Every structure is written in structure tokens, then in C-alpha cells.
């Protein structure tokens, strides 16, 4: 414990970022406190990854068990599959509560002091905590900010939390509207369209940009649209935005062309799910007391060591991690950033390697990726003067996928033609979120497809889709 301070480390925000940092800090021998103003576990545990994956697990089973044709090909007949919406909602709520309890206990067990209240930086190595009973100041050698993010609601959209809502309310699955509009076709919009369509709701998906799933590699998005959208009860508006959304019964949505702003149509639906991204929760953190200005999108500026920057210079003893930094707004990225921040606090020089952090959408089937899209790789290639090559393999040629009767899927491997270095991997197909990790490790180690093509995969496994793509890349 550093002399003259209450703590070695104080963390503001007990989401997965703060939690990951706290666990690692204790492992490194730092006396640590964590400040949380609302729910322990933050977005991921209470309103994000955890409840949404519980809903996807339950609704995915309903979809599978109601797919008579698929079951028949496996020799199974099931009639009259029923589900109980409230019981599915309870599964999500109970799981969130359990993981919240586990996370809190893990901190207590390790001796991390949990301080409930609003944390604010009040000067170098100083934090104030405001609770119902007043304010106290604590000192720490280092401070990590991990305040997270909240849903972005575009201008013109009025959220009442009942008929027009964001994922904060959506994860509670309080009712199943006959017809629901989902604004946004990013991973949250896609995951909830998977849940609602499996449970029998009619969906209208509204995407302001020119393509559905704009964040995904084009080949993956194209096939995903063919499997996840077209055959389901989902109508789409692309290049169109929701200019006004008025809650009620019905919910009224005024649609306009995103480019020309001309009115296009008015929808009257039962509910509207707003999945238009997330914004940092960086207000009232006291950053002005240490002369830190947020960037133009209100993220906290940081370098790859996770040190907070002021005018491009490192602010000593102040670090920021997680969604509030806007680098990669994912749970495991937040926690990885937390570990890197603690490593640097302990004097070990570590940087976050965003290239090797995977991402996934837990639709049925799933989408996953790591590294660059083909477009990003082409941009880098043009700037640096090398050529990009691409190899693909298909789930319909994979024995395990055939055995499961789940053959919709593709793997795309993007690499440098000259050195074979793996630049990006994109998978759409059964268990894509589990298969991606060997590609993630390969990118972390900057491996080449020449080496990867000679690794041996167990047969028959879904991971052979990657093996096949690597082999196609090098022609073995
Ligand atoms: P948060 O989890 O937002 O935690 C920040 C915490 O800080 C909050 O508890 C907040 O109350 C507290 N806080 C803020 N300011 C203060 C203050 N001044 N004083 C005290 N406390 C404060 N990511 C994945 O990787 N996989 C997924 O499958 C996935 N699914 C998702 C599904 C949905 C519907 C949503 C919304 C998100 C999903 N995410 C997923 C994203 C993931 O939830 C976030 O990336 C992650 O929660 C970010 O963690 P964080 O620690 O940065 O912030």
C-alpha cells in the first residue's frame, strides 16, 4: 500500500470494465476500492450481454423446436411447442440477478472495498463520493474511470419505456407486441429481431444507412440478410430514418429519406425498439478539476496504455477504460482495457491490441469477427503498398454442420498476399462466437495463413471451417 493515500487504486464504475480492473489490481497487490452509483455489474450484467443472451437462448430454442422441417430431417417430430413469455423474462432477470450477486461477492471476497455513491474526480489523486448521507473525499495513488455508456436516442424519438423503448427496457421482455419496429440494424437490433421473430412478432427494421448491418463485413452482411432477415417475418427500410416516433397505442413513426430528408411513410405499429447505438456516460465526472476535456463525441480521450490525455499529454495517475473511451464498446474489451491500465499502473508497459479483440452477434446462427473487414484491409493495403487476398469456406461443406442440419454459413479469411499475415476473420454460422477465438489468438500473434494452414483441427468440428479457409488460402 502506497504511503499517504487511502488506496492504491480507486475505480469509478463497477461494470465489467471496473470489475475486471479491480480483480487484476488485487492480484497485483493493490489496495483497491470501487465506487458504484447504481447497479453492480453495470450494463453488461443488468441491461446488456447477460439478459439479452438469456432471451436469445430461450427464444432460439423456440425457433428450433418450431422448425418442423429441420427436426424432421433429424428424425424428430414435436407438436404444439408452447412458451411462457413471463417465464422467459424471468430466466433473463434471474440470470442477471445471479451474476450481479456473483460479481459483487467476488469483489468482497478479494477485499475490494465497495463504496456506493456517485464518484467524481476533485483533483489530482482525489475523488469525492456523494451518497444520500453526504459527501466524502478519498485519496488514491491512481484512479481509473469506468463510467460506461447509455442508449442513444435520436432527436425526434420520444421514449416512454413501455411502447417506445431501448434495450434498457427491452431486456425485461415485459410484453410481446404483434408488430414491432426496430430502429437500427447493428448487433443489438439484430439480436432483438432474432428474439422477437422467434417468439412470433412481426418486425419492421429501419436502417438509416444505405445497407443493413453496416458495421459488418459486406459478404457476411449479405449472407446474414439472406438467412436472418429475408425468410423471417421482417420487413426492412434501408436508407430511411425515423424522423419522429410518438409513443402510444398505436406508436406513430414518421419515416423520411436519410439523404434527402423527404417524408417517405407513416407507420402505426404496436411498439418501437430504439437500437441506435450508445453514448458515453461521462457527464459530471469532475474532469475539469484535472483539466481534461472530453472529445467531440464526449468520450474520454486515452492512449493505448489507457492513460487519460489532456491536450494530447498524459494526465499522471488518471486512467479510463470501457465504453466511456469509445474504442470498442464491448464487455470483454472493457475488461481487457482494465487489465492493461492496471499493468501500466504497476509499471509494466502494456498496450491494448484492438486488432485481436473478437466481437460477436448472438443471432441464430451467430456472426463473429476479429481484425479488419475487407474494406479496412484494402484501405491499409493502399496506404502501405501491399496486396490483400481473401479465402472463403462454407458451412455446407463442413461435416459437423451437416450432421446438425445447420448449413447456412460462411467463413472469410483476409490476409496479406505477400507475407500471408492474417488481417481479419469473419464467420457467419452455427456457434460462430465460439469458433472465432483461434483466429483471435492467431491475429494477436501476427501469424500467417501459411503456418495456420498446417495446424490440425479435430474432426468433425465446426472449427474445421477455419482450417478449410486457411488451406484454401495457401492451396494445400
Ligand atoms: P458499464 O457496464 O456501463 O458500467 C459502468 C458503471 O459505472 C455503471 O454501473 C454505472 O452506474 C457506473 N457509473 C457511471 N458513472 C458513475 C459515477 N460517476 N460514480 C459511480 N458509478 C458510476 N458486450 C459484449 O461484449 N457482448 C455482448 O453480448 C453484449 N451484448 C450487449 C447487449 C445489449 C442489449 C447492450 C446494451 C450491450 C451489450 N454489450 C455486449 C456491451 C456491454 O454491455 C458493454 O460494452 C459493457 O457493459 C461496458 O462496460 P463498462 O464497464 O465500460 O460500462
Amino acid at each position: 500500500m502506497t504511503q499517504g493515500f487511502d488506496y492504491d487504486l480507486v475505480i469509478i464504475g463497477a461494470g465489467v470494465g471496473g470489475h475486471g480492473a479491480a480483480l487484476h489490481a488485487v492480484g497485483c497487490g493493490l489496495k483497491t476500492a470501487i465506487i458504484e452509483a447504481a447497479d453492480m455489474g453495470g450494463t453488461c450484467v443488468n441491461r446488456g450481454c447477460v439478459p439479452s443472451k438469456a432471451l436469445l437462448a430461450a427464444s432460439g430454442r423456440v425457433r428450433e423446436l418450431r422448425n418442423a422441417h429441420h427436426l424432421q430431417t433429424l428424425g424428430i417430430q414435436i407438436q404444439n411447442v408452447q412458451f411462457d413469455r413471463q417465464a422467459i423474462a424471468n430466466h433473463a432477470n434471474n440470470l442477471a440477478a445471479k451474476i450481479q450477486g456473483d460479481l459483487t461477492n467476488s469483489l468482497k471476497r478479494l477485499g475490494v472495498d465497495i463504496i456506493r455513491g456517485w464518484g467524481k474526480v476533485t483533483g489530482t489523486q482525489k475523488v469525492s463520493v456523494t451518497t444520500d448521507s453526504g459527501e466524502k473525499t478519498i485519496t488514491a495513488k491512481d484512479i481509473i474511470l469506468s463510467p460506461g455508456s447509455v442508449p442513444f436516442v435520436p432527436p425526434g424519438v420520444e421514449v416512454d419505456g413501455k411502447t417506445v423503448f431501448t434495450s434498457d427496457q427491452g431486456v425485461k421482455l415485459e410484453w410481446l407486441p404483434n408488430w414491432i419496429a426496430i430502429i437500427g440494424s447493428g448487433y443489438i437490433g439484430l439480436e432483438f429481431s432474432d428474439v422477437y421473430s422467434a417468439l412470433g412478432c412481426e418486425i419492421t427494421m429501419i436502417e438509416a444507412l444505405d445497407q443493413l448491418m453496416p458495421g459488418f463485413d459486406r459478404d457476411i452482411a449479405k449472407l446474414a440478410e439472406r438467412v436472418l432477415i429475408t425468410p423471417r417475418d421482417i420487413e426492412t427500410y434501408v436508407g430511411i430514418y425515423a424522423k419522429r416516433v410518438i409513443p402510444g397505442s398505436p406508436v406513430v413513426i414518421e419515416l423520411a429519406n436519410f439523404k434527402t430528408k423527404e417524408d417517405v411513410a407513416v407507420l402505426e405499429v404496436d411498439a418501437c425498439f430504439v437500437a441506435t447505438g450508445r453514448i458515453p456516460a461521462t457527464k459530471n465526472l469532475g474532469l475539469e478539476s484535472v483539466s481534461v476535456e472530453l472529445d467531440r463525441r464526449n468520450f474520454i480521450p486515452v492512449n493505448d496504455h489507457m492513460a487519460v490525455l489532456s491536450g494530447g499529454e498524459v494526465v499522471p495517475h488518471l486512467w479510463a477504460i470501457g465504453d466511456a473511451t469509445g474504442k470498442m464498446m464491448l464487455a470483454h474489451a472493457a475488461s481487457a482495457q482494465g487489465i492493461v491500465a492496471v499493468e501500466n499502473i504497476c509499471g509494466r508497459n502494456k498496450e491494448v491490441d484492438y486488432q485481436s479483440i473478437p466481437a460477436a452477434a448472438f443471432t441464430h446462427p451467430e456472426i463473429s469477427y476479429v481484425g479488419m473487414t475487407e474494406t479496412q484491409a484494402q484501405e491499409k493495403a493502399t496506404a502501405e503498398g501491399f496486396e490483400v487476398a481473401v479465402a472463403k469456406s462454407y458451412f455446407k461443406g463442413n461435416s459437423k454442420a451437416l450432421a446438425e442440419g445447420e448449413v447456412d454459413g460462411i467463413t472469410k479469411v483476409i490476409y496479406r498476399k505477400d507475407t500471408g499475415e492474417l488481417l481479419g476473420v469473419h464467420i457467419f454460422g452455427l456457434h460462430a462466437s465460439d469458433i472465432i477465438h483461434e483466429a483471435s489468438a492467431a491475429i494477436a500473434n501476427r501469424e500467417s495463413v501459411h503456418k495456420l494452414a498446417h495446424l490440425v483441427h479435430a474432426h468433425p468440428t465446426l472449427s474445421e471451417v477455419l482450417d478449410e479457409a486457411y488451406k484454401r488460402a495457401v492451396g494445400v
Side-chain angles (χ1 to χ4, degrees):
M1 163 80 192
T2 316
Q3 292 295 310
F5 292 100
D6 297 323
Y7 293 96
D8 293 315
L9 175 64
V10 164
I11 302 165
I12 298 182
V16 278
H19 177 249
L23 296 194
H24 194 60
V26 173
C28 294
L30 304 184
K31 186 180 181 209
T32 304
I34 194 161
I35 305 170
E36 175 53 57
D39 301 319
M40 293 297 292
T43 306
C44 172
V45 172
N46 302 287
R47 302 172 293 280
C49 333
V50 170
S52 64
K53 262 78 267 181
L55 295 180
L56 282 156
S59 59
R61 296 274 159 77
V62 174
R63 184 190 298 286
E64 195 179 359
L65 294 173
R66 283 187 170 172
N67 187 343
H69 173 71
H70 176 233
L71 291 176
Q72 262 162 25
T73 61
L74 300 175
I76 302 167
Q77 287 167 19
I78 298 179
Q79 263 118 40
N80 200 18
V81 175
Q82 306 282 340
F83 67 87
D84 175 346
R85 179 209 49 84
Q86 188 57 54
I88 293 178
N90 291 348
H91 169 53
N93 289 334
N94 294 342
L95 185 69
K98 180 194 165 359
I99 294 184
Q100 189 195 73
D102 291 351
L103 175 140
T104 309
N105 290 338
S106 70
L107 291 170
K108 285 185 186 156
R109 206 172 40 244
L110 290 171
V112 175
D113 284 347
I114 299 172
I115 305 171
R116 303 309 301 256
W118 185 262
K120 212 169 150 176
V121 179
T122 50
T124 305
Q125 299 172 301
K126 257 193 240 141
V127 167
S128 73
V129 187
T130 309
T131 59
D132 291 344
S133 50
E135 188 180 305
K136 67 172 175 179
T137 297
I138 46 182
T139 59
K141 182 173 161 288
D142 286 276
I143 298 164
I144 295 182
L145 306 170
S146 185
S149 64
V150 291
F152 168 64
V153 177
V157 177
E158 202 184 313
V159 167
D160 68 351
K162 298 239 174 307
T163 58
V164 181
F165 49 86
T166 67
S167 54
D168 281 357
Q169 295 85 31
V171 292
K172 298 198 182 315
L173 200 72
E174 277 171 353
W175 61 301
L176 285 174
N178 288 331
W179 183 9
I180 183 164
I182 298 182
I183 310 179
S185 67
Y187 80 94
I188 294 177
L190 274 184
E191 288 186 349
F192 276 90
S193 79
D194 207 79
V195 170
Y196 284 118
S197 62
L199 300 183
C201 308
E202 193 182 327
I203 297 168
T204 295
M205 186 173 263
I206 303 159
E207 171 56 60
L209 299 180
D210 283 343
Q211 289 152 333
L212 286 175
M213 307 175 223
F216 295 97
D217 185 271
R218 282 300 84 213
D219 286 328
I220 300 293
K222 237 194 290 174
L223 182 59
E225 183 176 344
R226 241 182 272 154
V227 177
L228 300 177
I229 308 280
T230 315
R232 298 180 180 175
D233 205 354
I234 305 175
E235 145 193 68
T236 57
Y237 285 92
V238 177
I240 305 288
Y241 78 110
K243 188 169 115 181
R244 268 187 90 199
V245 178
I246 306 154
S249 180
V251 173
V252 178
I253 304 181
E254 294 175 14
L255 296 176
N257 184 298
F258 187 56
K259 284 199 186 114
T260 64
K261 310 295 177 217
E262 271 167 38
D263 291 341
V264 170
V266 176
L267 301 181
E268 292 190 356
V269 293
D270 299 315
C272 178
F273 188 117
V274 185
T276 42
R278 297 182 62 83
I279 47 171
T282 46
K283 285 191 192 132
N284 196 21
L285 284 176
L287 291 176
E288 62 292 343
S289 71
V290 281
S291 307
V292 172
E293 272 182 38
L294 299 171
D295 74 11
R296 69 187 167 80
R297 292 168 62 214
N298 290 330
F299 290 111
I300 303 171
V302 287
N303 62 17
D304 282 348
H305 294 91
M306 308 322 302
V308 173
L309 303 176
S310 169
E313 297 294 318
V314 165
V315 179
H317 305 291
L318 188 62
W319 313 81
I321 60 171
D323 282 8
T325 66
K327 296 286 175 195
M328 211 176 183
M329 295 171 83
L330 292 170
H332 47 283
S335 157
Q337 289 175 324
I339 291 168
V340 164
V342 170
E343 284 291 299
N344 286 295
I345 287 169
C346 294
R348 294 183 287 268
N349 183 14
K350 284 263 164 39
E351 290 189 358
V352 181
D353 176 21
Y354 294 103
Q355 274 310 303
S356 65
I357 298 181
F362 295 81
T363 44
H364 294 85
E366 296 172 343
I367 307 172
S368 66
Y369 62 87
V370 60
M372 298 173 207
T373 61
E374 190 175 346
T375 311
Q376 288 165 341
Q378 290 293 2
E379 280 165 14
K380 184 177 162 75
T382 308
E384 295 179 16
F386 63 85
E387 271 185 66
V388 169
V390 169
K392 293 175 193 165
S393 70
Y394 297 89
F395 279 62
K396 51 169 124 35
N398 177 278
S399 302
K400 185 73 185 293
L402 285 160
E404 298 282 346
E406 304 251 7
V407 294
D408 287 323
I410 182 175
T411 299
K412 177 171 173 181
V413 162
I414 302 159
Y415 57 99
R416 278 180 76 128
K417 210 170 184 176
D418 51 357
T419 61
E421 184 187 329
L422 194 59
L423 299 174
V425 173
H426 303 261
I427 307 175
F428 172 62
L430 186 64
H431 296 308
S433 69
D434 294 307
I435 307 170
I436 196 68
H437 293 98
E438 68 164 283
S440 170
I443 290 187
N445 295 320
R446 304 298 186 257
E447 277 170 3
S448 93
V449 284
H450 301 287
K451 181 174 170 200
L452 296 166
H454 289 280
L455 298 179
V456 180
H457 292 69
H459 176 75
T461 58
L462 294 168
S463 68
E464 286 174 294
V465 293
L466 263 177
D467 188 39
E468 180 65 24
Y470 293 144
K471 285 187 164 59
R472 285 187 184 187
V474 299
V476 294

